[in-house]
Amino acid sequence: MATPAQQSLGSPIQRFNALPNARKLGVMIALAAIIALIVGAVMWSRTPDYRVLFSNLSERDAGSVVVTLQQMNVSYKTEAGGTIMVPSDQVYDLRFKLASQGLPKGDTVGFELMDSAKLGMTQFQEQVAYQRALEGELARTIQALDTIASARVHLAIPKPSVFIRDQQKPSASVMVNLYSGRSLDAAQVSAIVHLVASSVPELDARNITVIDQAGNLLTSKGDASSQQGLSSNQLEYLRDVEGYYAKRVEAIISPIVGAGNVKAEVRADLDFSEDESTSESYKPNPTTETQAVRSQQTMSETSAGAGNTAGGIPGALSNQPPGPASAPLNTQAGAGANASPNPGSNKRDSVTNYELDKTIRHVRESLGRVKRLSVAVVVNYRASSEPDAKPTPLAPQLLDQVNNLAKDAVGFNQARGDTVNVVNAAFTESKVEEVAMPLWKDPSNIAMAKGLLKNLLIFGVAFYLVFGVLRPLLRDLLHPSAVAAPGTSTRGDGSDAGFDDLAEGMAPNEQHAADSYQHNIGSVRDFATQNPKIVAEVVKEWMAKE
């Protein structure tokens, strides 16, 4: 005997087997569609969020990266412009793994080119390979800037010569490909120029040219700024000077009139010309007391008289030394006085040189001298403490004080031609409303909305499949509408033969009415079988009335 569980399980199967073939086919198709929709919804919900792994790759690098991703069994997508996308949770891990394998390599080669040197290379080939490697390394370094997508460097290195007159200086040219909407300022261009100049021996920064992908010359020669006017550095210095003076004026006046109630603008006329002069001056007719002795020379010469003059016959006899001196024992008085003196001469020369009183003055004027200042100051009306009262102008005495303070703040010099103009006027209040980003444009809200929409769509599809398709099918199988009445003639398969033949040609509404009639007939027959006495009494009453 079958258990209740087996009967409950076998009853839907038996009812399914009792269905016509066309209805069986429809039920199987519906179940297959439900399963396919459920599997598709689950797979769609598990679809990963792809993000950019690399972009702007060359075809060679993109192919190498794709092959490596295939070997790693990583799902990916490719888009135009050399863009490769992978699941968002694997972006950084894949970048590290690919970087360990040297991917992407890029179009430029560096000093790794020297690792594959061939045996038997000539000196010229080695020089060319070294120059290519140096150009590649410089290009890689320049590409590290956030505004540059790619770069190319060309070096013109002359052959060395032992003759000075035949020596040539190297030169370089750099082409940068900037990202869309980006630009290089003067400081960044100067940094690139000095980077290249410092990497090549004897390369002067003036021999380096930098252009962008549009053909615009980013570097200029030495005299280009003087021909076109002020250079970028001079303009920046001019703006700094004007801003410095304007801040000084606002800072000294704001405590008097209140913060935000004063605006100052300064126009400075600066002189960037170079002026260098040297002068020498001498003090006229200096005295010996005020002068310093530089050198002094004294010469003295003395000559004897004629008696002592050498004479005689030339020779050895006359060149004998004098004999010993002897004084006479007896000398006559007056003999020495009567002796005539020997004639002689004395000569003395003295030369004194003094230092010249000379003054040398070397004057070099600094660049950016202030030639003239023009200051314009606007002061707002004084606000009233009463809510409905209008602002009132400042008193003339207060305006004079503001004018004097402004002059002292900028170092007013009337001889230089400086001007200061202070105006008292009411400010126009302009309320700038902050434009808040709409919720439907916020990236975080967009991502959250996508996730919610995906979950709601999956839930809606599952709800429809369960309650709109699967439940009616199971209800028809578990609770059939037609109930066979006992005692009726049935076919071999247990179905009502007469009514089944009649139901085949009926419409749906007629079929439902026939099923209800059969159900009522069956109920009456069951009641008559179980209660024959009551049925007999009812029939007697019907006959008595007739």
Side-chain angles (χ1 to χ4, degrees):
M1 183 175 181
T3 62
Q6 292 177 350
Q7 291 179 357
S8 62
L9 181 62
S11 180
I13 297 176
Q14 292 177 358
R15 291 192 180 95
F16 177 78
N17 294 330
L19 294 175
N21 294 332
R23 192 168 184 181
K24 289 181 180 180
L25 181 62
V27 171
M28 289 187 292
I29 293 174
L31 289 175
I34 291 172
I35 295 173
L37 289 174
I38 293 175
V39 171
V42 172
M43 294 179 62
W44 180 67
S45 63
R46 293 182 178 180
T47 302
D49 183 18
Y50 285 88
R51 292 189 179 181
V52 177
L53 178 64
F54 295 111
S55 60
N56 298 324
L57 294 178
S58 61
E59 295 180 357
R60 180 181 303 177
D61 288 341
S64 302
V65 172
V66 167
V67 170
T68 306
L69 293 178
Q70 291 176 353
Q71 295 175 355
M72 298 169 64
N73 295 326
V74 177
S75 59
Y76 64 90
K77 290 182 180 180
T78 58
E79 294 183 358
T83 302
I84 299 177
M85 304 181 67
V86 296
S88 58
D89 56 345
Q90 301 181 9
V91 172
Y92 300 104
D93 293 339
L94 290 175
R95 285 181 181 175
F96 294 149
K97 293 179 181 179
L98 293 175
S100 63
Q101 302 180 13
L103 295 175
K105 297 181 179 179
D107 296 335
T108 58
V109 292
F111 283 114
E112 67 271 10
L113 187 63
M114 308 300 295
D115 298 337
S116 60
K118 299 180 181 179
L119 184 63
M121 292 181 61
T122 62
Q123 184 178 5
F124 175 75
Q125 291 176 341
E126 292 179 353
Q127 182 65 26
V128 171
Y130 172 75
Q131 184 171 338
R132 286 184 56 196
L134 184 58
E135 292 174 351
E137 292 295 334
L138 289 174
R140 289 177 179 176
T141 306
I142 296 173
Q143 289 177 8
L145 297 178
D146 55 356
T147 57
I148 297 177
S150 61
R152 296 196 64 181
V153 179
H154 301 279
L155 299 177
I157 303 177
K159 298 177 63 176
S161 176
V162 296
F163 300 101
I164 297 178
R165 62 184 179 182
D166 294 338
Q167 289 182 356
Q168 297 180 359
K169 296 296 182 180
S171 60
S173 58
V174 181
M175 179 179 179
V176 293
N177 185 12
L178 305 178
Y179 286 109
S180 178
R182 302 290 186 88
S183 63
L184 291 175
D185 55 14
Q188 291 175 322
V189 175
S190 179
I192 295 174
V193 169
H194 286 81
L195 172 67
V196 178
S198 302
S199 303
V200 181
E202 299 183 0
L203 178 58
D204 192 356
R206 293 174 296 181
N207 295 333
I208 300 175
T209 304
V210 181
I211 64 173
D212 60 4
Q213 72 271 22
N216 299 322
L217 182 64
L218 303 181
T219 55
S220 57
K221 301 303 179 182
D223 57 346
S225 60
S226 61
Q227 294 177 359
Q228 298 176 0
L230 297 180
S231 63
S232 59
N233 295 331
Q234 293 174 350
L235 290 174
E236 184 177 0
Y237 178 72
L238 177 61
R239 288 192 293 267
D240 292 341
V241 170
E242 293 176 347
Y244 170 73
Y245 283 118
K247 289 180 180 178
R248 285 175 61 93
V249 173
E250 293 180 356
I252 197 64
I253 300 177
S254 294
I256 300 176
V257 299
N261 291 324
V262 58
K263 300 294 182 181
E265 289 292 336
V266 178
R267 185 188 184 283
D269 187 6
L270 304 182
D271 185 10
F272 291 99
S273 61
E274 297 183 3
D275 188 6
E276 184 175 356
S277 61
T278 303
S279 62
E280 294 183 5
S281 61
Y282 299 89
K283 190 174 182 179
N285 301 323
T287 61
T288 57
E289 292 78 5
T290 59
Q291 286 184 306
V293 177
R294 182 176 184 181
S295 64
Q296 187 175 9
Q297 181 180 4
T298 303
M299 184 178 63
S300 178
E301 181 180 354
T302 303
S303 61
N308 295 332
T309 306
I313 301 172
L317 296 177
S318 61
N319 197 16
Q320 294 294 329
S326 60
L329 297 177
N330 298 319
T331 305
Q332 297 180 359
N338 294 331
S340 58
N342 295 330
S345 62
N346 292 326
K347 184 178 179 182
R348 182 182 179 88
D349 294 334
S350 179
V351 178
T352 304
N353 297 324
Y354 295 94
E355 291 287 352
L356 296 177
D357 192 1
K358 179 177 68 172
T359 302
I360 300 176
R361 185 183 301 274
H362 184 76
V363 180
R364 183 176 181 180
E365 299 290 344
S366 61
L367 297 178
R369 300 184 305 275
V370 178
K371 297 172 60 178
R372 185 173 180 271
L373 290 177
S374 300
V375 183
V377 182
V378 180
V379 182
N380 191 15
Y381 280 0
R382 185 181 296 276
S384 179
S385 58
E386 298 180 1
D388 296 336
K390 295 182 178 180
T392 57
L394 299 179
Q397 297 81 3
L398 185 57
L399 284 179
D400 292 339
Q401 295 177 2
V402 171
N403 192 4
N404 295 330
L405 288 175
K407 289 181 179 181
D408 294 338
V410 299
F412 180 80
N413 188 355
Q414 189 175 1
R416 195 171 55 186
D418 297 348
T419 59
V420 175
N421 187 13
V422 179
V423 177
N424 183 211
F427 286 3
T428 302
E429 297 182 0
S430 57
K431 296 182 180 180
V432 180
E433 298 181 358
E434 296 182 359
V435 180
M437 181 180 293
L439 296 178
W440 54 275
K441 286 186 178 181
D442 192 356
S444 59
N445 293 337
I446 293 175
M448 182 177 63
K450 287 182 178 180
L452 292 176
L453 181 61
K454 180 187 294 186
N455 296 331
L456 289 176
L457 184 60
I458 295 173
F459 178 77
V461 171
F463 183 83
Y464 172 75
L465 293 177
V466 172
F467 293 95
V469 179
L470 188 60
R471 184 180 179 183
L473 289 176
L474 295 177
R475 184 178 57 190
D476 292 343
L477 292 175
L478 295 175
H479 303 285
S481 58
V483 178
T488 58
S489 61
T490 58
R491 296 179 180 176
D493 55 357
S495 61
D496 195 331
F499 287 101
D500 285 347
D501 295 339
L502 181 61
E504 290 179 357
M506 291 183 179
N509 295 331
E510 297 176 353
Q511 179 70 30
H512 181 71
D515 293 340
S516 301
Y517 177 74
Q518 292 295 329
H519 179 71
N520 295 333
I521 293 297
S523 300
V524 172
R525 289 176 180 175
D526 293 339
F527 183 80
T529 304
Q530 296 175 2
N531 303 295
K533 294 181 179 181
I534 296 175
V535 173
E537 293 295 333
V538 172
V539 172
K540 290 179 181 180
E541 289 182 2
W542 286 352
M543 294 177 65
K545 291 180 180 180
E546 294 180 355

